[in-house]
Every structure is written in C-alpha cells, then in structure tokens.
C-alpha cells in the first residue's frame, strides 16, 4: 500500500556494501514510504530487482548473508575475468522471483555498459537476473556477460548513480551512494594515486547528486570492504539508521509529518 510519500530510488554500485542499500530501504518501508520506481547499477541492480519483485529488505539481507549467495561467485580460470557469477544459481531466482523487468510491480531500470559499442545502456525490459548480473560484471574481476547483441559489464564504469531514467517521473528522487566522496586520503604516494583515481571514477556522480531530491550516504561506508561479506549486518544497520534519519528529515521538510 502506498504511504504518504512516494519516491523513486537510485542505487549505486558498491559490491558487499549493498547491505547499506537494504538498510535504507528497510527504513523507507518502516516509515511507510512507497517506492514507485527503482534505477540501479551493479549491486544496486541486484538489490533493485529483488525489491521491484516484491521482496522486503529483510528477506533480501537474509539471502545475501547465506552460503548459497557466496557460492554464486566462482573462479573463472582467467577466461576473460578472474571470477565468474553463476547467473543460473537458484539463489538468484529467490532474490528476484519475477523473471522479467517489464512484469515487475515496481518499474525497474538497470544500467550496464556495452563493450562493443562503448555506450551506456539502460534496460527497462528483459531478463531481470541476467541483466542484474551483467550490471555487476566488474571487469577484469568478473567476466563480461553476453546478452542479445551486447557484451555487458558493470554499469558503474560510466554511471555509478543512475538517476537519469527517473528524471521524467513525478516522484522525488532518493539516491543512495555506497562510495562516500568525502572520504579522507592519506598523504603517501600510493594513497594519493588511489584517491585521484577514485575522484576520476566518481566525478559523474557529483552531477547526479545535484539532481537528487534526497542524497543518502555516510563517510563510515569507507570502513566496509567491497568484497567482505562478514560485516553485512553492521552495514545494514548503518543504512537503516542513516536512512531513517534522512527520510524523517526529508518528510518534515515536505510537511508530510
């Protein structure tokens, strides 16, 4: 049931930090905020297809913590990527029980990059699980995914906070970023180089933040590893706390509560 506030939700990439997305979504659900549309890239696409299929944030965090989910990632013997994602794993069907994007009760947009054309591609129709996996294919760690006439990799390479598909909709845009831009760097050469590369990667995100009605992130996200699954519940709890504070403040500003 729709609550007093309906929003569109943009979810960034960020691998295991996706638990923060789920915490924010749990906060929205707790405060009766209706999610009217979702756009996601990488882990944001995986979380998005689950929510758009009708799953709750608590359903999804339980699945993400399972051994079955970790088993989705396997060694690829250096064939076009160090690791592979088993797109046929049963756990992925549990995460997104509705097979096609166009059949989902919540409109869902998935951002990928096509290696063949060099273009960003946004899907609102097609195979939900395969496209979510393709959007998470962080090359060269994960192999590219062949889909129709595309060779797809992680959408975060060109748009890690994909709000563009939501701009024409009537709902306020809540964007959730798993890569806090205000993270502090050390002053040794390696740290400065790493920081410079990070800023180059996240530069397009700045424009997306400016177009958002509510931006949700937290500096302490930098303390969570991108491929460390053992801290998922702490990351989820951080997302729930920050999400609750953010949405309640936003609702007060909109005179909804």
């Amino acid at each position: 049931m729709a609550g007093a506030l309906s929003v569109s939700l943009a979810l960034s990439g960020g691998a295991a930090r996706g638990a923060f997305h789920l915490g924010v979504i749990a906060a929205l659900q707790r405060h009766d905020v209706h999610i009217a549309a979702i756009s996601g890239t990488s882990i944001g696409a995986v979380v998005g297809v689950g929510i758009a299929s009708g799953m709750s944030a608590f359903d999804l965090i339980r699945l993400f913590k399972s051994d079955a989910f970790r088993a989705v990632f396997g060694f690829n013997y250096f064939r076009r990527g160090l690791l592979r994602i088993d797109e046929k794993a049963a756990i992925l069907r549990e995460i997104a029980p509705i097979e096609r994007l166009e059949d989902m009760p919540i409109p869902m947009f998935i951002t990928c990059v096509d290696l063949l054309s060099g273009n960003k591609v946004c899907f609102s129709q097609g195979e939900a699980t395969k496209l979510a996996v393709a959007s998470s294919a962080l090359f060269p760690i994960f192999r590219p995914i062949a889909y129709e006439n595309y060779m797809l990799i992680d959408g975060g390479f060109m748009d890690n906070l994909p709000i563009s598909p939501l701009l024409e909709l009537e709902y306020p845009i809540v964007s959730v970023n798993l890569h806090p831009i205000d993270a502090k760097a050390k002053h040794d050469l390696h740290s400065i180089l790493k920081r410079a590369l990070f800023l180059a990667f996240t530069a397009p995100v700045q424009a997306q933040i400016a177009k958002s009605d509510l931006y949700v992130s937290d500096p302490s996200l930098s303390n969570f590893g991108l491929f460390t699954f053992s801290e998922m519940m702490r990351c989820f709890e951080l997302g729930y706390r920050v999400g609750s504070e953010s949405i309640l403040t936003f609702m007060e500003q909109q005179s909804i509560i």
Side-chain angles (χ1 to χ4, degrees):
M1 180 182 294
L5 175 65
S6 294
V7 301
S8 294
L9 193 59
L11 303 175
S12 83
R17 294 178 189 171
F20 184 88
H21 282 328
L22 292 173
V24 172
I25 293 168
L28 296 178
Q29 294 172 336
R30 167 67 179 80
H31 296 292
D32 199 26
V33 175
H34 174 59
I35 299 171
I38 305 172
S39 176
T41 194
S42 198
I43 191 62
V46 177
V47 168
V49 294
I51 297 298
S53 292
M55 301 288 282
S56 76
F58 289 99
D59 291 332
L60 291 178
I61 193 63
R62 175 180 55 81
L63 293 173
F64 278 32
K65 287 169 52 186
S66 68
D67 290 338
F69 183 72
R70 298 185 193 196
V72 168
F73 309 96
F75 189 57
N76 198 43
Y77 302 100
F78 301 102
R79 293 196 296 265
R80 294 192 302 172
L82 178 62
L83 301 176
R84 62 177 175 79
I85 304 174
D86 181 4
E87 62 200 64
K88 297 181 179 180
I91 187 74
L92 295 180
R93 301 300 186 275
E94 291 186 57
I95 289 171
I98 297 179
E99 294 183 0
R100 297 191 62 84
L101 296 177
E102 62 267 31
D103 295 332
M104 293 182 172
I106 299 174
M108 178 70 212
F109 304 91
I110 292 179
T111 295
C112 302
V113 170
D114 177 32
L115 282 176
L116 302 180
S117 67
N119 294 325
K120 179 178 72 173
V121 187
C122 180
F123 295 92
S124 59
Q125 299 182 355
E127 299 174 45
T129 298
K130 188 158 191 172
L131 288 170
V133 169
S135 184
S136 305
L138 182 62
F139 188 81
I141 299 174
F142 296 109
R143 65 182 181 182
I145 300 295
Y147 182 77
E148 296 181 347
N149 296 322
Y150 302 104
M151 185 62 67
L152 300 174
I153 61 171
D154 196 312
F157 279 109
M158 297 183 74
D159 190 354
N160 202 44
L161 193 61
I163 74 168
S164 298
L166 307 175
L167 293 174
E168 299 302 318
L169 304 180
E170 60 182 312
Y171 311 104
I173 296 172
V174 177
S175 60
V176 188
N177 184 18
L178 303 180
H179 295 278
I181 294 171
D182 55 351
K184 298 296 186 293
K186 298 177 182 178
H187 296 292
D188 59 272
L189 180 60
H190 177 265
S191 297
I192 292 172
L193 177 60
K194 183 178 177 182
R195 177 66 171 169
L197 292 173
F198 171 78
L199 291 175
F201 176 73
T202 59
V205 172
Q206 296 281 10
Q208 305 292 57
I209 293 171
K211 297 175 185 176
S212 304
D213 296 284
L214 175 62
Y215 173 68
V216 182
S217 189
D218 192 88
S220 58
L221 274 166
S222 297
N223 299 326
F224 293 92
L226 293 175
F227 300 101
T228 303
F229 291 90
S230 60
E231 296 185 317
M232 273 194 171
M233 279 312 299
R234 274 208 318 122
C235 196
F236 177 90
E237 290 162 3
L238 175 66
Y240 185 84
R241 177 174 58 79
V242 173
S244 292
E245 293 169 356
S246 299
I247 197 61
L248 288 173
T249 299
F250 183 74
M251 292 170 76
E252 285 181 6
Q253 293 170 345
Q254 302 297 310
S255 300
I256 293 174
I257 58 174

